[in-house]
Amino acid sequence: MFDALTQKFNSVFKSLSGKGKITEANVKEAMREVRKALLEADVNYKVAKQFCKDVQEAAMGQEVVKSLHPGQVMVKIVNDELTKLMGPVDTQVYFVSPGPTIIMLAGLQGCGKTTTAAKLAKYLISKGKKPMMIADDLQRPAAIDQLVTLGEQIDVEVYTEDTKDAVRVAKNGIKRCKQGGYDVAILDTAGRLHIDEEMMGEVSDVAKAVTPHQIYLVCDAMIGQDAVTSAKEFNDRLELDGVILTKLDGDARGGAALSVKAVTGKPIKFIGVGEKLDKIEEFHPDRMASRILG
Ligand code: GDP
């Protein structure tokens, strides 16, 4: 997945293993290489710096220099620190009783919000839930039709209304959700190409009007640090409960996956790993760390 990073980590570990006995200076040198690799992967600068400091401290604490297999010990330490950086695991979707549980999706245009709404609905059906979706992205012309088509594919009702009033659609959609006996309402909201006041105003108004039980930010992993910056800005304005990181299948670098939790404090709940509706996975930091280390 993040091939360049995997290769760099492996070459650092290899050079440590090859030394037989290693010194504190070798560890420091290795950390410089790791930091460079993380920055090349578009990891946030502060996150990369802190990560290397943590690994170095752990390496000294575990006396890597006295170990017979310093390379192996380092792999374990880096694995643990990567897991910590992206964790703890929090894939729980919290449901209210009585329902419906309202889940709002926010994010920039093109990040994969509409697709993710349908993926999430399909995932929730597999967990025994009865979701419906509300087409509240009234900005992008094709968004409503797209959600309706996706709804047909997975046999999920989609609430639509011909208006530009996003608050009205959200409220009426939730009314319909209650009438229809659905237990989850997934709300697809409008994005823009960049964060602007109008978009933030609209999503805040919708959030205030329907007080979602959970708000997830959908972020495109392929835009790296820009995804992290947008997550931070959304998080300052909305009470985010978590992040859904999309397009990881096309992300060769890994910067967003590695930085977003550390920067926003909000967990990655799910990852999107393809365009098809079953290409959503719960996010497990330990598994991601193992994938990165190859
Ligand atoms: P929205 O503007 O945020 O609603 O974005 P869309 O849901 O329309 O998605 C934009 C594009 O990204 C579409 O072509 C989707 O098929 C694609 N997409 C969404 N999620 C993923 C993913 O996890 N992987 C890949 N490869 N493509 C995705």
Side-chain angles (χ1 to χ4, degrees), residues 30-228:
M31 282 308 103
R32 266 196 294 278
E33 286 298 310
V34 166
R35 192 161 129 191
K36 228 169 72 191
L38 291 173
L39 294 178
E40 278 165 18
D42 206 16
V43 170
N44 173 283
Y45 174 77
K46 280 191 199 153
V47 172
K49 195 169 161 193
Q50 186 63 42
F51 177 81
C52 290
K53 197 166 157 249
D54 292 346
V55 171
Q56 196 168 318
E57 267 169 25
M60 293 310 155
Q62 292 182 34
E63 303 206 54
V64 169
V65 288
K66 288 193 189 147
S67 161
L68 286 176
H69 305 286
Q72 283 171 22
V73 179
M74 277 302 276
V75 173
K76 165 101 181 49
I77 291 172
V78 171
N79 186 72
D80 290 351
E81 291 296 330
L82 280 174
T83 305
K84 240 196 263 172
L85 181 66
M86 294 181 282
V89 59
D90 183 0
T91 60
Q92 195 79 28
V93 178
Y94 298 94
F95 299 104
V96 293
S97 178
T101 301
I102 304 167
I103 299 176
M104 177 171 156
L105 301 182
L108 293 175
Q109 200 176 93
C111 66
K113 225 178 320 99
T114 305
T115 313
T116 301
K119 284 180 176 179
L120 196 57
K122 189 170 162 64
Y123 167 85
L124 291 174
I125 291 170
S126 78
K127 298 282 170 195
K129 298 287 169 191
K130 195 178 166 210
M132 69 163 276
M133 302 190 282
I134 303 171
D136 209 11
D137 179 353
L138 311 176
Q139 292 299 323
R140 189 163 62 83
I144 297 177
D145 290 347
Q146 186 185 343
L147 197 65
V148 169
T149 306
L150 293 173
E152 281 164 7
Q153 283 174 25
I154 52 173
D155 207 12
V156 166
E157 179 173 338
V158 178
Y159 181 81
T160 67
E161 215 177 306
D162 188 12
T163 168
K164 283 282 168 207
D165 184 347
V167 168
R168 181 193 154 103
V169 175
K171 280 184 170 170
N172 287 341
I174 286 162
K175 244 187 244 163
R176 168 66 206 140
C177 188
K178 286 177 185 159
Q179 282 163 0
Y182 296 101
D183 49 20
V184 186
I186 301 171
L187 196 59
D188 183 24
T189 63
R192 298 273 200 295
L193 289 174
H194 300 284
I195 287 179
D196 62 31
E197 262 320 296
E198 216 183 329
M199 172 183 68
M200 280 300 183
E202 182 177 309
V203 285
S204 303
D205 288 348
V206 170
K208 271 187 214 134
V210 299
T211 49
H213 300 100
Q214 275 153 91
I215 305 179
Y216 297 150
L217 183 72
V218 182
C219 270
D220 175 351
M222 286 173 71
I223 63 171
Q225 270 325 287
D226 287 342
V228 179

